[in-house]
Amino acid sequence: MFSRAFRSTPKSLRPLRTKARQFSSLDLIPDEPSGPSVKTEKVPGPKGVAASKEIDTFQDPRTHVIVPNYEQSSGNYLVDADGNVLLDVFAQISSIALGYNVPALLELAKTDEFAKAAMNRPALGSFPPVQWAEWLKTGLLTVQPKGLDQLITTLCGSSANETAFKCSFMAYRQRERGGPDVPFTKEEMDSCMDNHTPGAPQLSVLSFRSGFHGRLFGSLSATRSKAIHKVDIPAFDWPAAPFPELNYPLEEHVKENEAEEKRCLEEYEKILIESKSTRPVAAVIIEPILSEGGDRHASNNYFRQLRLIAKKHGAFFIVDEVQTGVGATGTFWAHEKWGLKEGEEPDFVTFSKKMQAAGVFHKKETRPNAPYRNYNTWMGDPIRALQAREMLKLIKSHDLVSHTASTGLNLASSFKSLFSSGAAQGKIMNFRGEGDGTYLAWDMASPALRDTFVGKMRNNGVQIGGCGDQTVRLRPMLTFGERHAEVLVGTVERVLKEL
Amino acid sequence: MFSRAFRSTPKSLRPLRTKARQFSSLDLIPDEPSGPSVKTEKVPGPKGVAASKEIDTFQDPRTHVIVPNYEQSSGNYLVDADGNVLLDVFAQISSIALGYNVPALLELAKTDEFAKAAMNRPALGSFPPVQWAEWLKTGLLTVQPKGLDQLITTLCGSSANETAFKCSFMAYRQRERGGPDVPFTKEEMDSCMDNHTPGAPQLSVLSFRSGFHGRLFGSLSATRSKAIHKVDIPAFDWPAAPFPELNYPLEEHVKENEAEEKRCLEEYEKILIESKSTRPVAAVIIEPILSEGGDRHASNNYFRQLRLIAKKHGAFFIVDEVQTGVGATGTFWAHEKWGLKEGEEPDFVTFSKKMQAAGVFHKKETRPNAPYRNYNTWMGDPIRALQAREMLKLIKSHDLVSHTASTGLNLASSFKSLFSSGAAQGKIMNFRGEGDGTYLAWDMASPALRDTFVGKMRNNGVQIGGCGDQTVRLRPMLTFGERHAEVLVGTVERVLKEL
């Protein structure tokens, strides 16, 4: 048991002399704690356990980690039911951009504009508020990926991906049909009501082994992370291509990694070709870093080739930035790094999580040819668009993407130094993500060791997350900086010694 | 062009002398306008048209009806971009329970509790707020349907239905497997990653012709409303049973309606039996009134039989109350009227829309046998649970379900009287919904006439909605009362004369 701030600055955390370095989370969150404070022997403590037990009377609590007191949380620090103060580098599964109780956001929430938007929720597709264009043009549309000036808003990442799937299927069939003005046949209109071809076509979405795209029926068919997510659920017979299994650090294994990527690209193209005679691939979906599947990286060239090969075979290309988007990788969108040329942009970029708003950026050519083909009651939520607008303003005015890029470089350097020490030997491997902001990860020797590590980190005041089978992933907020890095690295170091 | 309140009280709008009659929307919304006011020649006017055009630069505006100014709207009255004041009996596709800018709800939105919940959005499955049990126990759980004490929250109706599907599939396979403790086989775990059997089983959800359950890939496979919703989208090969095509008014066609229901029940059972050898039906999903499909009713006995036959053949029974729930039919849940006995309750009841929160009520026996099988990042949104709690308090304290039941009876009586007059002859038929609160509907002689009618109603100050091919549906809020009914019936009368 302890209750103090950790101040063991690793030598390798040398501050970079850049403008972005000057940001401190205290600029945005003046009352952020200076460090964690754990009061109970274990986390969760007795009050957290009791809270989960009460929830158990009506809802499954087996996935609970802690039961937070959000009202007392601040910035990068999450307070739990027992009053423990934890540095949170998991951030609600990577969905908090700036921190808890950021004063500027609480101010927004108290405005008349926000309150009225919250309590007068529109059916956006038919009754959009008179401020809708302004809210998006000064908000979400300011971060539209290059070449994608159309935006369909949704409520979550899964439905953003499924919306991109639907748009892809409609545009694919429209192309086959001969254009937007060629009418549907009576046979198509009749057969689709029975879920049969030709109206419900045998088309597919190609995804990648270990990819995660959501857990609704379409998105789950494209998800290939873990069997427990999929077993017993009917799925579309859609193809999966291998994702390169690279050796880390990437820069030390260039040659064999190139060969692995080449092998995977060939296999991918083979599937695209072979599918044409069975279930043609209307769309390919990929994450820039396979996140839930274990933080798996590939080269920019690999992703460029994926995109070009999809185009060659007439498949739309969807980049799922639900987890990678909004700056954590050191660029606003992770796919910016790929260096796609004009005309090679993705057809769709989906987002959610840290943006709080969710949706699909796309091109006008994939707008369905008739109204009501892409439609539902809410089609997003204006308050999340307002929240995103405010967060984007703060991200820009504080240059938080650059800040995260440089924080990430320093953090990677600290971890590399720590992980090359004796304390990490045989326990930690495949450290990765250097150059991708704070989107860092490493594997541990076994799934059990990973779980033990994550539990001990929590007991030592740091909420950290896992992914894949035995990976630890960092997903801090964009306000995470040097003072949090010190705590994080110091705690990892201490816990490694305990293992 | 005109700008006045309509005050032509139809004789048939006789107030009932009940306690519930005493409610007036002014109790909750003191500044609600006394009537519509249309300032532009057509609705939308020039400002509304311009607003849609601006949205068109980034988003499809072809489904826009009007562009409202929500900040100026009040109670049952929606103000548009041109300052037109419309009585709104469509209520954002049936998703506004109490009205626009209800002071008590705006007050809630301005509380610290709400603001902090809005800006600290949790991953509910792993980090539920310490108040979560209290918020639900004093809110959503107070309206749990009989026998269903478990609640999974979601973000929308489609995902609520898909969650019920997933729970059904998991519970169905668990029963086949021999119980919750029988482990998955290696073959199941491996094959599900390829979307193949046995891991991704060939099971189905049975739905009904004209039913609507959402537009994600699983829910769309169960939706059978309109071809334009389904064409070009791959679908699961799931069966559809006929829904009775009854003659209205129901009480005048008892015998032939009974025969039609019997025919449909037989066909339904036949499909359940025949599917066993191909794609066994794990779940049946039904709306108590088929709403998007054209407000189609059937008898309580029919629904009871549906439920019992599903049970007989081992299929779970899902009641989709996304549109019918929350009081508009004169009971809190529409399926309460069916008179299901103890032990015959539905397995799942889904909700969204007027509740603003969305989710699935179910029984503990359909909790998945392992954690993370039903899981996603947000799993609902606490602020919508808070909003639902406040609305439920107001609904109860003002007895708004009884109010809606009696308002609906009076309104039905007025319409029956009006529709038996010469003005309606050859234009209006199949008036229905009497006894189902304000959930009233009628058909018009053709789809074109329906669309003309809806447009003219709008130009005359009433926002009214269609469904099915040529149906007009009423979906007023629960605060709709006598003074709104006068405007509505008077406007219908005048527009009918213009047709």
Side-chain angles (χ1 to χ4, degrees):
Chain A
M1 267 199 279
F2 54 87
S3 173
R4 58 182 179 82
F6 304 105
R7 286 280 156 203
S8 60
T9 316
K11 261 188 221 158
S12 49
L13 256 186
R14 291 175 300 256
L16 286 181
R17 307 274 170 236
T18 67
K19 179 176 163 276
R21 266 315 277 177
Q22 292 160 14
F23 172 80
S24 157
S25 57
L26 299 175
D27 301 346
L28 270 177
I29 314 122
D31 68 348
E32 188 183 57
S34 59
S37 152
V38 175
K39 295 166 178 164
T40 56
E41 200 169 342
K42 281 188 174 186
V43 181
K47 287 183 188 165
V49 171
S52 283
K53 207 170 162 186
E54 200 186 350
I55 292 173
D56 191 17
T57 58
F58 60 89
Q59 206 165 65
D60 188 352
R62 285 170 297 177
T63 50
H64 289 182
V65 176
I66 56 171
V67 178
N69 183 326
Y70 290 101
E71 305 203 349
Q72 289 176 15
S73 302
S74 175
N76 290 265
Y77 286 90
L78 186 58
V79 175
D80 79 358
D82 291 275
N84 297 310
V85 180
L86 309 179
L87 173 67
D88 186 3
V89 294
F90 193 40
Q92 308 297 321
I93 322 180
S94 197
S95 70
I96 301 287
L98 300 179
Y100 299 108
N101 291 311
V102 174
L105 296 180
L106 293 180
E107 234 171 78
L108 166 72
K110 289 290 192 83
T111 60
D112 280 351
E113 187 176 53
F114 190 89
K116 290 191 167 186
M119 292 299 142
N120 300 309
R121 193 181 191 181
L124 279 169
S126 289
F127 305 95
V130 69
Q131 312 98 317
W132 189 231
E134 184 213 326
W135 288 346
L136 295 203
K137 285 183 174 182
T138 56
L140 289 170
L141 290 167
T142 65
V143 292
Q144 63 190 40
K146 223 165 65 180
L148 307 185
D149 62 358
Q150 300 290 299
L151 173 60
I152 301 168
T153 45
T154 66
L155 285 175
C156 67
S158 293
S159 52
N161 286 335
E162 296 210 354
T163 298
F165 294 176
K166 288 177 70 171
C167 288
S168 297
F169 288 128
M170 292 188 270
Y172 189 96
R173 286 288 299 126
Q174 175 175 302
R175 198 175 56 203
E176 286 189 323
R177 209 174 265 123
D181 302 326
V182 181
F184 310 113
T185 64
K186 182 172 184 310
E187 197 192 355
E188 285 172 332
M189 295 301 262
D190 290 348
S191 58
C192 77
M193 297 304 284
D194 290 324
N195 296 0
H196 291 161
T197 56
Q202 296 278 4
L203 295 174
S204 65
V205 173
L206 180 147
S207 59
F208 293 83
R209 298 282 170 201
S210 298
F212 183 92
H213 305 289
R215 298 181 62 169
L216 300 164
F217 280 80
S219 46
L220 186 61
S221 290
T223 284
R224 315 277 178 170
S225 44
K226 287 184 182 162
I228 196 70
H229 300 163
K230 288 171 74 78
V231 67
D232 289 350
I233 313 297
F236 290 108
D237 188 9
W238 292 350
F243 187 81
E245 305 207 13
L246 302 189
N247 292 311
Y248 302 97
L250 298 178
E251 62 275 16
E252 288 176 22
H253 302 84
V254 174
K255 209 157 184 180
E256 68 261 40
N257 285 348
E258 271 181 14
E260 168 68 358
E261 290 189 339
K262 186 163 174 286
R263 180 189 75 81
C264 289
L265 286 169
E266 283 168 2
E267 179 66 17
Y268 160 67
E269 185 160 19
K270 199 174 142 213
I271 295 170
L272 282 171
I273 293 167
E274 286 177 356
S275 299
K276 287 181 187 176
S277 60
T278 53
R279 287 179 187 258
V281 174
V284 169
I285 186 165
I286 185 84
E287 301 158 86
I289 299 165
L290 270 51
S291 302
E292 300 301 310
D295 268 32
R296 298 179 53 186
H297 294 251
S299 72
N300 293 331
N301 178 59
Y302 167 80
F303 286 107
R304 274 199 305 272
Q305 294 306 316
L306 277 190
R307 198 285 165 266
L308 295 176
I309 293 169
K311 201 180 185 85
K312 178 176 161 193
H313 294 288
F316 291 97
F317 194 71
I318 305 167
V319 181
D320 177 343
E321 293 245 25
V322 167
Q323 188 157 168
T324 52
V326 194
T329 67
T331 48
F332 191 87
W333 300 110
H335 79 271
E336 288 171 35
K337 293 199 185 81
W338 298 348
L340 295 171
K341 297 196 190 105
E342 205 181 312
E344 294 177 358
E345 298 93 354
D347 296 296
F348 302 91
V349 172
T350 60
F351 63 92
S352 180
K353 286 199 180 252
K354 277 196 295 298
M355 195 81 94
Q356 294 286 307
V360 188
F361 285 107
H362 67 117
K363 303 170 187 171
K364 203 157 182 181
E365 70 204 55
T366 48
R367 218 184 244 192
N369 71 336
Y372 293 107
R373 299 193 72 190
N374 173 50
Y375 188 83
N376 57 64
T377 300
W378 285 322
M379 300 195 76
D381 191 337
I383 57 168
R384 298 304 176 188
L386 284 171
Q387 183 183 6
R389 181 171 77 156
E390 188 63 28
M391 291 193 302
L392 292 170
K393 276 182 197 161
L394 296 171
I395 289 170
K396 286 170 201 166
S397 62
H398 291 276
D399 209 1
L400 292 182
V401 180
S402 303
H403 163 74
T404 297
S406 65
T407 300
L409 282 176
N410 289 334
L411 192 59
S413 163
S414 301
F415 275 122
K416 278 161 67 179
S417 155
L418 172 61
F419 292 165
S420 65
S421 74
Q425 214 154 22
K427 296 173 191 160
I428 286 193
M429 54 215 68
N430 297 327
F431 179 75
R432 52 199 184 267
E434 190 174 11
D436 286 315
T438 53
Y439 217 93
L440 303 168
W442 60 83
D443 295 337
M444 301 205 62
S446 70
L449 191 72
R450 190 268 313 269
D451 294 346
T452 304
F453 172 81
V454 166
K456 281 184 183 283
M457 284 295 288
R458 190 177 309 121
N459 292 338
N460 278 275
V462 177
Q463 175 58 47
I464 199 168
C467 61
D469 294 324
Q470 57 201 74
T471 301
V472 173
R473 58 174 155 174
L474 297 186
R475 293 294 184 274
M477 304 156 192
L478 303 182
T479 54
F480 179 95
E482 193 179 350
R483 57 196 224 115
H484 313 100
E486 289 173 16
V487 173
L488 172 62
V489 178
T491 310
V492 170
E493 187 171 8
R494 196 167 52 254
V495 167
L496 277 184
K497 285 177 188 155
E498 282 181 32
L499 285 182
Chain B
M1 267 198 280
F2 53 87
S3 173
R4 59 184 177 82
F6 304 106
R7 286 279 156 203
S8 58
T9 317
K11 263 186 220 158
S12 50
L13 256 187
R14 291 175 301 256
L16 286 181
R17 306 276 170 237
T18 67
K19 180 175 164 274
R21 269 312 279 176
Q22 294 160 12
F23 173 80
S24 157
S25 57
L26 299 176
D27 301 345
L28 269 178
I29 314 123
D31 69 347
E32 187 185 56
S34 58
S37 152
V38 176
K39 294 167 178 163
T40 57
E41 200 168 341
K42 282 188 172 183
V43 181
K47 286 182 189 165
V49 170
S52 283
K53 209 170 158 183
E54 200 187 348
I55 292 173
D56 191 17
T57 58
F58 61 88
Q59 206 165 67
D60 188 351
R62 286 171 296 176
T63 49
H64 288 182
V65 177
I66 56 170
V67 178
N69 184 325
Y70 289 100
E71 304 203 349
Q72 289 174 17
S73 301
S74 175
N76 290 264
Y77 287 90
L78 187 57
V79 175
D80 78 357
D82 292 274
N84 296 309
V85 181
L86 309 179
L87 174 65
D88 186 3
V89 294
F90 193 38
Q92 308 297 322
I93 321 178
S94 199
S95 71
I96 302 286
L98 300 178
Y100 300 108
N101 291 311
V102 174
L105 295 180
L106 293 180
E107 232 172 78
L108 166 71
K110 291 288 191 84
T111 59
D112 279 351
E113 187 176 51
F114 190 90
K116 290 190 169 186
M119 293 298 142
N120 300 311
R121 193 181 193 181
L124 279 168
S126 289
F127 306 94
V130 68
Q131 312 98 318
W132 189 232
E134 184 214 327
W135 288 347
L136 295 204
K137 285 184 173 180
T138 57
L140 289 169
L141 290 167
T142 65
V143 292
Q144 65 191 39
K146 223 166 63 181
L148 308 185
D149 62 358
Q150 300 291 299
L151 173 60
I152 301 168
T153 45
T154 66
L155 286 174
C156 69
S158 293
S159 51
N161 285 335
E162 297 210 355
T163 299
F165 294 177
K166 288 177 70 172
C167 288
S168 297
F169 288 127
M170 291 188 271
Y172 190 96
R173 287 289 298 126
Q174 175 175 303
R175 199 175 55 205
E176 288 189 321
R177 208 174 265 124
D181 301 326
V182 181
F184 309 113
T185 64
K186 182 171 185 306
E187 196 192 357
E188 286 172 332
M189 296 300 263
D190 289 348
S191 58
C192 77
M193 297 303 284
D194 289 325
N195 296 2
H196 291 162
T197 56
Q202 296 278 2
L203 295 174
S204 66
V205 173
L206 181 148
S207 60
F208 293 82
R209 299 279 171 203
S210 298
F212 182 94
H213 305 290
R215 299 181 62 169
L216 300 164
F217 280 80
S219 46
L220 186 61
S221 290
T223 284
R224 315 277 177 168
S225 46
K226 287 185 182 162
I228 196 70
H229 299 163
K230 289 172 72 78
V231 66
D232 290 350
I233 313 297
F236 290 107
D237 189 8
W238 292 349
F243 187 81
E245 305 207 12
L246 302 189
N247 292 311
Y248 302 97
L250 297 178
E251 62 277 15
E252 288 176 23
H253 302 85
V254 173
K255 209 157 183 180
E256 67 261 41
N257 285 347
E258 272 180 14
E260 168 66 358
E261 290 188 339
K262 188 163 173 282
R263 181 189 73 81
C264 290
L265 286 169
E266 284 167 3
E267 178 66 17
Y268 160 67
E269 185 159 18
K270 199 174 139 212
I271 295 169
L272 282 171
I273 293 167
E274 286 176 357
S275 298
K276 287 181 188 177
S277 60
T278 54
R279 285 178 187 260
V281 174
V284 169
I285 186 166
I286 185 83
E287 301 159 87
I289 299 165
L290 272 51
S291 302
E292 300 302 311
D295 269 30
R296 298 179 56 185
H297 295 251
S299 72
N300 293 331
N301 178 60
Y302 167 81
F303 287 106
R304 275 197 304 272
Q305 294 306 315
L306 278 190
R307 198 284 164 267
L308 295 176
I309 293 169
K311 202 180 184 85
K312 178 176 160 193
H313 294 287
F316 291 97
F317 194 71
I318 305 168
V319 181
D320 177 343
E321 293 245 27
V322 168
Q323 189 156 168
T324 52
V326 194
T329 68
T331 47
F332 192 87
W333 300 109
H335 79 272
E336 288 170 35
K337 294 200 184 80
W338 298 349
L340 296 171
K341 296 195 192 108
E342 206 182 313
E344 294 177 358
E345 298 92 353
D347 296 296
F348 301 92
V349 172
T350 60
F351 63 92
S352 180
K353 286 200 181 252
K354 278 197 294 299
M355 196 82 94
Q356 294 287 305
V360 189
F361 285 107
H362 67 118
K363 302 170 189 171
K364 202 156 181 182
E365 69 205 53
T366 49
R367 216 184 245 192
N369 72 336
Y372 292 107
R373 299 192 72 190
N374 173 51
Y375 189 84
N376 57 64
T377 300
W378 285 322
M379 302 196 75
D381 190 337
I383 57 169
R384 299 303 176 188
L386 284 171
Q387 184 183 6
R389 180 171 79 155
E390 187 63 28
M391 293 193 302
L392 291 170
K393 276 183 197 161
L394 296 170
I395 289 170
K396 286 171 201 167
S397 63
H398 292 275
D399 208 2
L400 292 182
V401 179
S402 303
H403 163 73
T404 298
S406 65
T407 301
L409 282 176
N410 290 335
L411 191 60
S413 164
S414 300
F415 275 123
K416 278 161 68 177
S417 157
L418 173 61
F419 293 165
S420 65
S421 74
Q425 214 155 24
K427 295 173 191 160
I428 286 191
M429 55 215 66
N430 297 328
F431 179 74
R432 52 197 184 268
E434 191 174 9
D436 287 314
T438 54
Y439 217 92
L440 303 167
W442 59 84
D443 296 336
M444 302 207 62
S446 69
L449 192 73
R450 191 270 311 269
D451 293 346
T452 304
F453 173 81
V454 167
K456 281 183 184 286
M457 285 294 289
R458 190 177 307 122
N459 292 336
N460 279 275
V462 177
Q463 175 58 46
I464 198 168
C467 61
D469 293 324
Q470 57 201 74
T471 301
V472 173
R473 59 173 154 174
L474 297 186
R475 294 293 183 275
M477 304 155 192
L478 302 181
T479 55
F480 179 96
E482 195 180 348
R483 57 196 225 116
H484 314 100
E486 289 173 15
V487 172
L488 172 62
V489 178
T491 310
V492 170
E493 186 171 9
R494 196 167 48 256
V495 167
L496 278 183
K497 284 178 186 154
E498 282 181 30
L499 284 182

